[in-house]
Every structure is written in C-alpha cells, then in structure tokens.
Amino acid sequence: DEYQWKGPFYFIQGADPQFGLMKAWAVGDTTNGDDEWGEEIKLAEQAVQAINKLNPKPKFFVLCGDLIHGMPGTQWRKDQEQDLKNVLKNTDQDIPLVFVSGNHDIGNTPTRETIDNYCKNWGDDYFSFWVGGVFFLVLNSQLYFDSSKCPELKQAQDVWLNEQLAVAEKHKCKHIIVFQHIPLFLRKPDEDHDYFNLEKSVRQEIMEKFHKAGIKAVFSGHYHRNAGGSYKGLEMVVSSAIGCQLGEDTHGLRVVAVTDEKIVHRYYSLNELNSQGIEKELLDMLATQN
C-alpha cells in the first residue's frame, strides 16, 4: 500500500538531543562531564509537545543520531537512555519514531558489540521504509567514518544499500530520501575533511552513488548548527540540535514537506513550533495537491 503515491505529506526531523552534552560542554569536559541532563530533558519534552500539537499530524518523527552523550561503556549512559525513552514515549502513538545511530550511540569507532547494543535499545542501525510512494533509507554513517573494528559490517551495509537502490528503481518511487548522522559535507561537496563531515574519497563515492540512484536529499545532524549545500541536484541538509547548540541556532526541529515535485523544508525553533505551529505556506502546499 505504501508503494503508491497518495499526495503530499510531511515529517519532522530532529537531531542530537544528546542528553548530557550541555553540562559537559559548559564545564569543558566532554569525556566525563555529562552527569546532568535536566536541561536536555526539558528541551526533548518541548519537542514532543510541539509535535503532538501539529495538525495534520506528521507521518513520522525521525531523530538523526546522538540520542545521548555518554559513549559506549561510560557511566551515565544507561540513565541517559532511560530518560530519553521516558520523554519519547509521550509522543502521540499515531506518529511513528524513526531512530538513526550517531557516533555517541555506537562510538566513533564502532564494534559489533556497540552496534548490537544500540540495536537492542533503539532498533536496526540501518533499514528502509516506504511512506506514500516515497522510499526512505536510514544509514549507519559511523561505518563510513571508521569501520576499522568491524569491516565486515560496513561491507554488509554496502551490499544492502545497493540492493535497496535496485528495489527503489524497480518500484519507480516518487522520491528517495536518506537519513544519516554525519553529513556528507557541510557546505561544499569538495570541502576539506574534518570531524563534522565524511572523508573526501568516501564522500565522493557515496555522493556519486546517491546522484546516480536519483536520491533527492540527505538529512543529517552531528554539527549542532544548521548547514547544507548540494551536489548535482542532491541536497545535503544539516539540521541543528534539539539539545546543545554549538553555533548561533536555536534548539529546534525541521519540518519537511514532500510534494509531487519537490522536498521543501524549514527549521523551526522549539518555541516557534510550540506557539505557532507550521506556517500557512507549508500547510497550503500539503493541502493543494491532495
């Protein structure tokens, strides 16, 4: 049923609730300073409230990684995960939650064990799903960042991705959209590699693959600031955090409208989305074509 295009819809993208980072950042100890996250709990609650109020309802709410700050094996991790689950279970039951793994969820250099633990807690680290004729792919970007401790898992994801892209082509989907934690790039496809993007040769290979497959957009987080650019018609959308801000942006969520021809999105602060909801222009876009 979901293979068929049924008209425009929208979803909500959030990133980096990262329970624990605000305190760790404030005290300048990002390794052990994450023993408080009351501020992040409030922000995540605000995000859930804003989403629950929206009318019409979004098709789903995707969280693009760094659910919590505590790295695998660290002291506060279990408590952070439990507190985030407690907040998220108040999301309207008609709005499915989609989770993407980030570097804090599975480690900068993931292992089979850290990925297994993530999967037990949050679901698969990569998978695909359909909504109304649109094909969505969730990827584990840590396998592109550093798969040195689990090369066979990176290989498995690569094989799976090729199969999925063949499926998408066969079904003649309306659009293909990708979610991953680490952006391919922040502003320019040929920018230098650093902590916040993927290594150049890896990036080039993925961008080319995505471009050939007709993928329209990649949505990510990780940067704790809004950014983005494009490569041969593939849009790279980098959304700032629900939690700790590292730039001038506000705690917020991105509203993404999917129409027959295009994907239109806007970043809203949590306050704005809570008090005013989605602007008329986007709502009109969703209504006119149905």
Side-chain angles (χ1 to χ4, degrees):
D1 189 40
E2 292 295 338
Y3 289 154
Q4 305 307 314
W5 174 251
K6 303 186 187 81
F9 63 86
Y10 79 101
F11 63 86
I12 302 290
Q13 182 219 5
D16 303 273
Q18 206 157 340
F19 282 20
L21 175 60
M22 288 171 92
K23 163 84 190 294
W25 192 256
V27 299
D29 179 1
T30 52
T31 316
N32 310 302
D34 58 334
D35 58 345
E36 288 173 28
W37 50 91
E39 195 63 34
E40 283 101 338
I41 289 177
K42 281 194 206 129
L43 290 161
E45 285 172 344
Q46 212 185 336
V48 168
Q49 274 166 2
I51 291 167
N52 287 347
K53 277 190 210 165
L54 295 171
N55 184 21
K57 289 187 204 306
K59 286 287 187 190
F60 59 87
F61 170 29
V62 58
L63 271 172
C64 281
D66 281 2
L67 306 173
I68 51 150
H69 183 66
M71 286 277 190
T74 56
Q75 186 175 1
W76 307 108
R77 184 177 170 89
K78 286 261 185 300
D79 292 342
Q80 290 168 359
E81 287 183 332
Q82 194 50 57
D83 284 352
L84 179 58
K85 286 179 181 178
N86 290 342
V87 173
L88 291 175
K89 66 176 183 232
N90 295 318
T91 311
D92 185 313
Q93 59 186 34
D94 294 330
I95 304 170
L97 291 165
V98 177
F99 298 109
V100 181
S101 62
N103 56 307
H104 282 263
D105 306 310
I106 59 176
N108 285 322
T109 306
T111 64
R112 185 176 280 278
E113 186 189 8
T114 64
I115 291 174
D116 282 349
N117 282 337
Y118 169 86
C119 294
K120 281 191 195 103
N121 261 306
W122 302 102
D124 291 342
D125 58 323
Y126 59 88
F127 56 96
S128 64
F129 61 98
W130 289 81
V131 175
V134 177
F135 192 47
F136 292 93
L137 291 162
V138 171
L139 297 179
N140 178 345
S141 55
Q142 286 316 117
L143 295 175
Y144 296 126
F145 191 79
D146 183 359
S147 63
S148 57
K149 288 188 177 163
C150 55
E152 74 289 355
L153 297 183
K154 177 189 185 289
Q155 198 183 354
Q157 178 172 258
D158 288 344
V159 168
W160 172 87
L161 179 58
N162 291 337
E163 287 165 357
Q164 296 299 306
L165 295 175
V167 166
E169 190 175 22
K170 191 179 105 192
H171 282 286
K172 300 282 177 268
C173 56
K174 186 62 81 175
H175 306 290
I176 311 173
I177 295 174
V178 171
F179 300 121
Q180 59 187 57
H181 179 61
I182 301 183
L184 297 167
F185 58 89
L186 298 172
R187 294 203 159 72
K188 296 197 177 94
D190 60 350
E191 71 197 16
D192 288 341
H193 166 55
D194 67 19
Y195 175 76
F196 287 112
N197 59 20
L198 290 179
E199 196 272 314
K200 269 178 144 175
S201 62
V202 174
R203 178 196 316 167
Q204 187 57 42
E205 192 184 325
I206 298 171
M207 290 190 308
E208 206 37 48
K209 176 182 280 197
F210 285 2
H211 163 65
K212 286 199 174 108
I215 291 171
K216 291 276 175 69
V218 176
F219 289 88
S220 72
H222 189 51
Y223 191 44
H224 295 254
R225 286 156 281 213
N226 287 309
S230 65
Y231 172 82
K232 298 186 181 177
L234 165 73
E235 191 184 4
M236 180 67 242
V237 185
V238 184
S239 293
S240 197
I242 293 170
C244 189
Q245 300 300 313
L246 300 183
E248 302 300 306
D249 295 296
T250 49
H251 308 282
L253 294 165
R254 194 173 291 277
V255 174
V256 186
V258 183
T259 74
D260 197 0
E261 274 137 35
K262 56 190 176 178
I263 294 149
V264 184
H265 51 86
R266 186 181 152 204
Y267 187 83
Y268 290 83
S269 76
L270 295 179
N271 291 339
E272 196 183 3
L273 201 57
N274 250 314
S275 57
Q276 294 156 26
I278 301 173
E279 68 203 297
K280 189 172 179 306
E281 202 180 338
L282 271 182
L283 286 171
D284 287 349
M285 207 176 277
L286 295 167
T288 47
Q289 301 185 331
N290 275 334

